[in-house]
DNA sequence: ATCGGACATTGATCTAGCGCAATGAAGAGC
DNA sequence: GCTCTTCATTGCGCTAGATCAATGTCCGAT
């Protein structure tokens, strides 16, 4: 797989979708300096504090960004899904470490070469700027989810976010006789850290939602969403439900969580 | 006060600090298209969903970004302090409404004129890109604070964040015989929404921290931080304390919360 | 000065979620 | 096959925090 293949194949996703619209010669230039890396699960590709000289695009799999607290605990602060970009440009050290949550493939670009292309191409530069704006919105959406006072509500919000982000991502979102199935890319313990709770509480919250008929738990890492409306209601944001249920999503960045 | 005055006077802050280093003619150009607006407390200057055709720089006061939930509740998702930028460029509608938490002054730029300058000036463009990167980091720091399972911990983290962000901002951070005083720019109810708790719990958490000698509550909106280390410990991030206690902060974006 | 409203605090009760411990379930290595 | 390890689940006592209600405090308007 080359980078050009990926941009064409992954054209459903935010960043890479936009990349596909770049002039062909620019994509060729990107193709020349990029390198495909296979990551095994658990592999760490960036450490906080030390300068990371690569910019990466996720092609397959899920990565998680996490902060290592002084006491050694890992604190998940975000997920990267295919189409996402990570790494620093024109800038200092990484704030977080990045670890492959599943087996994954990423395209990496030497930072300086990438920056040179950025400087030379206003179109690419503009794309990165828009991408970062989208990322800010996503992170603020996270804040809204996290500030739900109840664990059930936060979990419901998390599931809704997975829905919007995993839409069209191969293998992450399926449908079982009309119902939406979501694969949960991280463990209960990590989810607990992410949602400000304990693993036991997360487990209980999952089963509480199941008891209320909102979800079915096929496996710990695979759930069926039976009632998006109820989940959105639980999360405190009916509008999220509408957005997900709307089949023909318009281009990203319309409603709160409508961005892919 | 002109925009040029502001960039010189506010040179301690992130975005405007960098602006001050722009070529003089570019700042003149910005000066020409900008307009100073006085905001009274509670004034709303941006509504979610509708396109906002202004880009703004905060010169004085505190603004809060908030999401209006379907049930009418307001959900604070971030604060803007002097030196911060808001608004959209090359892009769709605002995701959140912005409201003046205190009396405030902002410089506003017509969006299209600003975008034209952005396109014409790689330096300004680069500055905005870096600014957004910083903003992403800040929002992720928020996530870490919000995912603290205890209200006390989240409140402590919030106070620490105010410390780092208010550093050098006139009137927001003072010192009383060696102790750091912080002014709390939002009400208990808003703080409760922001931190995923109830106003009563926030009030109790404040007084619990006071009982433990970590803070003194002068007025509901003014507290003295007696022990940064203990607060940082409570927040779960000893490193935050070190960063604040270090008098000569290096340039922004070094440690977790060292960015101003 | 007095009234009214917004906001902060305090008290009392009740429940959600923590914390610890024990028990399953699934995969890796031998 | 087996054991060992890791992860998810379940039970139970206990605390933090939600919830409801009352009181206090400040400020602006009359």
């Amino acid at each position: 797989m080359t980078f050009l293949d990926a941009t064409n194949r992954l054209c459903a996703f935010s960043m890479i979708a936009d990349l596909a619209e770049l002039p062909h010669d620019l994509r060729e230039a990107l193709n020349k300096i990029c390198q495909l890396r296979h990551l095994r699960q658990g592999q760490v590709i960036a450490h906080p504090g030390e300068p990371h000289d690569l910019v990466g695009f996720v092609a397959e799999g899920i990565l998680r960004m996490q902060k290592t607290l002084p006491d050694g605990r890992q604190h998940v602060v975000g997920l990267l899904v295919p189409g996402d970009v990570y790494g620093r440009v024109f800038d200092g050290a990484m704030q977080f470490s990045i670890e492959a949550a599943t087996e994954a493939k990423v395209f990496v670009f030497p930072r300086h070469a990438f920056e040179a292309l950025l400087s030379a191409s206003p179109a690419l530069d503009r794309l990165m700027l828009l991408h970062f704006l989208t990322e800010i919105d996503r992170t603020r959406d996270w804040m809204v989810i996290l500030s739900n006072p109840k664990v059930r509500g936060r979990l419901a919000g998390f599931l809704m976010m997975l829905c919007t982000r995993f839409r069209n991502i191969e293998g992450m979102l399926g449908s079982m006789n009309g119902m939406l199935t979501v694969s949960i890319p991280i463990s209960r313990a990590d989810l607990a850290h992410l949602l400000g709770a304990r693993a036991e509480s997360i487990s209980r919250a999952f089963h509480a939602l199941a008891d209320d008929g909102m979800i079915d738990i096929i496996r710990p890492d695979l759930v069926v969403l039976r009632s998006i409306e109820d989940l959105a209601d639980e999360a405190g944001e009916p509008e999220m439900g509408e957005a997900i249920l709307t089949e023909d999503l318009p281009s990203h960045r319309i409603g709160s969580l409508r961005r892919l």
Side-chain angles (χ1 to χ4, degrees), chain A:
Chain A
M1 179 165 65
T2 71
F3 182 66
L4 282 182
D5 290 338
T7 59
N8 289 328
R9 199 169 59 79
L10 296 176
C11 64
F13 315 138
S14 57
M15 184 65 196
I16 292 194
D18 298 330
L19 280 175
E21 285 162 21
L22 287 176
H24 189 267
D25 56 342
L26 182 57
R27 285 162 67 206
E28 277 290 3
L30 284 167
N31 202 22
K32 276 216 182 64
I33 63 171
C34 88
Q35 196 188 340
L36 179 63
R37 288 185 60 186
H38 292 255
L39 304 177
R40 60 180 184 282
Q41 184 173 346
Q43 192 169 354
V44 178
I45 58 174
H47 299 272
E50 59 186 55
H52 185 70
D53 56 350
L54 295 172
V55 177
F57 286 67
V58 181
E60 286 181 29
I62 306 283
L63 312 187
R64 70 174 168 244
M65 295 176 282
Q66 54 197 11
K67 214 175 139 74
T68 303
L69 299 183
D71 58 12
R73 281 178 302 130
Q74 298 284 308
H75 199 127
V76 178
V77 293
L79 298 176
L80 296 170
V81 303
D84 279 345
V85 188
Y86 65 85
R88 288 263 170 216
V89 282
F90 305 110
D91 193 10
M94 292 285 283
Q95 293 293 315
F96 309 100
S97 66
I98 297 181
E99 183 177 329
T102 66
E103 216 175 316
K105 289 180 187 166
V106 295
F107 288 104
V108 293
F109 300 83
R111 202 182 104 174
H112 292 298
F114 189 80
E115 286 172 0
L117 276 183
L118 260 191
S119 297
S121 160
L124 182 59
D125 190 285
R126 180 64 24 88
L127 213 54
M128 290 299 282
L129 192 131
L130 286 178
H131 171 75
F132 292 137
L133 279 172
T134 304
E135 189 58 34
I136 291 174
D137 286 338
R138 281 179 184 159
T139 318
R140 291 208 176 120
D141 286 334
W142 268 116
M143 283 185 60
V144 174
I145 291 175
L146 289 180
S147 58
N148 189 312
K150 294 201 186 61
V151 173
R152 274 179 63 134
R154 296 201 290 278
L155 179 58
F158 173 77
L159 290 175
M160 304 287 293
M161 160 158 291
L162 287 190
C163 270
T164 54
R165 304 251 9 226
F166 285 1
R167 179 177 288 275
N168 294 333
I169 295 182
E170 192 183 337
M172 301 313 298
L173 212 60
S175 69
M176 284 178 87
N177 43 329
M179 300 289 184
L180 213 53
T181 62
V182 190
S183 87
I184 314 290
I186 57 178
S187 73
R188 295 286 187 270
D190 281 341
L191 196 47
H193 271 128
L194 184 59
L195 299 183
R198 300 292 145 183
E200 300 94 319
S201 299
I202 296 295
S203 182
R204 283 185 247 265
F206 264 113
H207 289 275
L209 292 180
D211 288 346
D212 289 357
M214 299 188 196
I215 64 174
D216 278 341
I217 303 172
I218 308 294
R219 291 197 316 260
D221 62 339
L222 185 67
V223 302
V224 180
L225 309 188
R226 297 179 64 88
S227 169
I228 302 284
E229 298 93 334
D230 287 348
L231 278 174
D233 201 47
E234 191 75 41
E237 301 216 53
E239 59 190 86
M240 288 168 70
E242 296 162 23
I244 291 175
L245 287 174
T246 305
E247 271 316 303
D248 52 337
L249 282 188
S251 68
H252 56 291
R253 203 174 304 130
I254 302 292
S256 155
L257 277 180
R258 270 171 119 134
R259 300 180 294 284
L260 295 184

